[in-house]
Amino acid sequence: MEVNAARALAGARTCFVGIGLPSTAANLARRTVNPDLVLVYESGTIGSKPTRLPLSIGDGELADTADSVVSVPEMFNYWLQGGRIDVGFLGAAQVDRFANINTTVVRRGPGRPEGRLPGAGGAPEIAANCGQVLMVLRHSRRNFVGTLDFVTTLGHGGGPRDRAALGLPGAGPTAVITDLGVLRPDPLTAELVLTELHPGVTVHQVREATGWDLKEADRIGVTAPPTAAELAALRALKAATHTSPGVSSHHTPAVPAHDTAAAPAHDASALPTLHTPGATAHDTSTAPAAVELAARRSRKDA
């Protein structure tokens, strides 16, 4: 999956990268099919060349190896909204048939609280403004759903005209790469269809892992197996990450399969911002009250 995701970046000049699987693919692309690829991260780093996989958009490795570091407002207002990024690379917790994304909240069944996810982060702006969007995530009914529990990021809305009607300049999602194959939007309906299978995978397997009646292209291709060089580059990248100072070599305990709050390949670009419904430690909605309280104390002291 990571190898095919990296191959999708061949020929791109700039890529706005999310953390997680998108970051793995983008950094692998720099080491294989596209050495000149300019990696852009939400924290303001342009031209990052990390020696290992970054742990978050705030990882110092990104700034240390960047050609330039700009402010977050400049990153979004000038670079992203200005149409200066070729490709946005996103993950997701849930995806629907029109490549809309949920990374906010999932329902976990009667009597159970909602599963809160990292939130939007920069994904809505990335999906709206990049020339095109690639997505990478593992293929299961938990991730590929008939109806999203929450629409965090617009893919193609409900059909081929929705993006234009909303004035979104980018082409939107052009490929969803999974561990089973590749899905692409139909040119007429914008609905995702199966266009390629990975070696050894069947159409039946993909349909069984999809939460809607997935359509197939008239001719379904088969992706080329990873080469020895691609596998070596991927393994070296992951090995460098595991052996870096301050990075634990212990694996995180697995989350039970029934806990959909931990759906794989969340939109990694959203991880640092933690936009979740309701008040949290990051919720600034209480700031006015805090200012007023401080003002009262100041007046009292005076």
Side-chain angles (χ1 to χ4, degrees), residues 18-109:
I19 296 298
L21 288 172
S23 186
T24 301
N27 280 280
L28 180 60
R30 280 198 62 252
R31 289 161 172 77
T32 53
V33 298
N34 194 345
D36 297 325
L37 180 65
V38 177
L39 303 185
V40 179
Y41 284 83
E42 185 179 337
S43 53
T45 58
I46 301 174
S48 292
K49 305 171 186 64
T51 58
R52 55 170 173 78
L53 294 176
L55 303 180
S56 73
I57 62 167
D59 195 319
E61 178 80 0
L62 295 176
D64 288 345
T65 61
D67 294 330
S68 177
V69 180
V70 301
S71 68
V72 173
E74 178 181 329
M75 175 59 70
F76 279 85
N77 294 338
Y78 179 79
W79 294 99
L80 187 54
Q81 295 175 355
R84 294 174 172 85
I85 307 295
D86 293 342
V87 180
F89 219 142
L90 300 175
Q94 290 182 334
V95 176
D96 69 10
R97 68 181 67 216
F98 292 107
N100 301 304
I101 295 174
N102 173 23
T103 54
T104 300
V105 63
V106 293
R107 300 188 185 98
R108 298 196 291 180

Side-chain angles (χ1 to χ4, degrees), residues 250-302:
H250 299 289
H251 294 291
T252 302
V255 178
H258 65 270
D259 187 356
T260 55
H266 294 168
D267 180 3
S269 67
L271 287 175
T273 55
L274 293 175
H275 295 304
T276 56
T280 69
H282 298 267
D283 188 350
T284 59
S285 61
T286 58
V291 171
E292 175 62 21
L293 179 59
R296 289 178 182 176
R297 288 174 177 170
S298 177
R299 290 193 295 268
K300 183 178 179 180
D301 293 339

Side-chain angles (χ1 to χ4, degrees), residues 177-273:
I177 302 157
T178 81
D179 50 346
L180 297 181
V182 181
L183 283 62
R184 303 181 192 275
D186 182 276
L188 298 179
T189 67
E191 183 174 335
L192 292 175
V193 298
L194 178 63
T195 59
E196 295 169 73
L197 294 169
H198 296 324
V201 178
T202 66
V203 172
H204 177 73
Q205 284 179 278
V206 181
R207 290 179 59 85
E208 285 295 304
T210 306
W212 68 85
D213 185 17
L214 179 66
K215 298 179 175 62
E216 306 105 42
D218 293 336
R219 300 183 66 178
I220 299 177
V222 177
T223 61
T227 65
E230 289 171 327
L231 290 175
L234 178 60
R235 289 165 182 161
L237 186 60
K238 292 184 175 181
T241 305
H242 294 153
T243 57
S244 295
V247 178
S248 172
S249 60
H250 299 289
H251 294 291
T252 302
V255 178
H258 65 270
D259 187 356
T260 55
H266 294 168
D267 180 3
S269 67
L271 287 175
T273 55

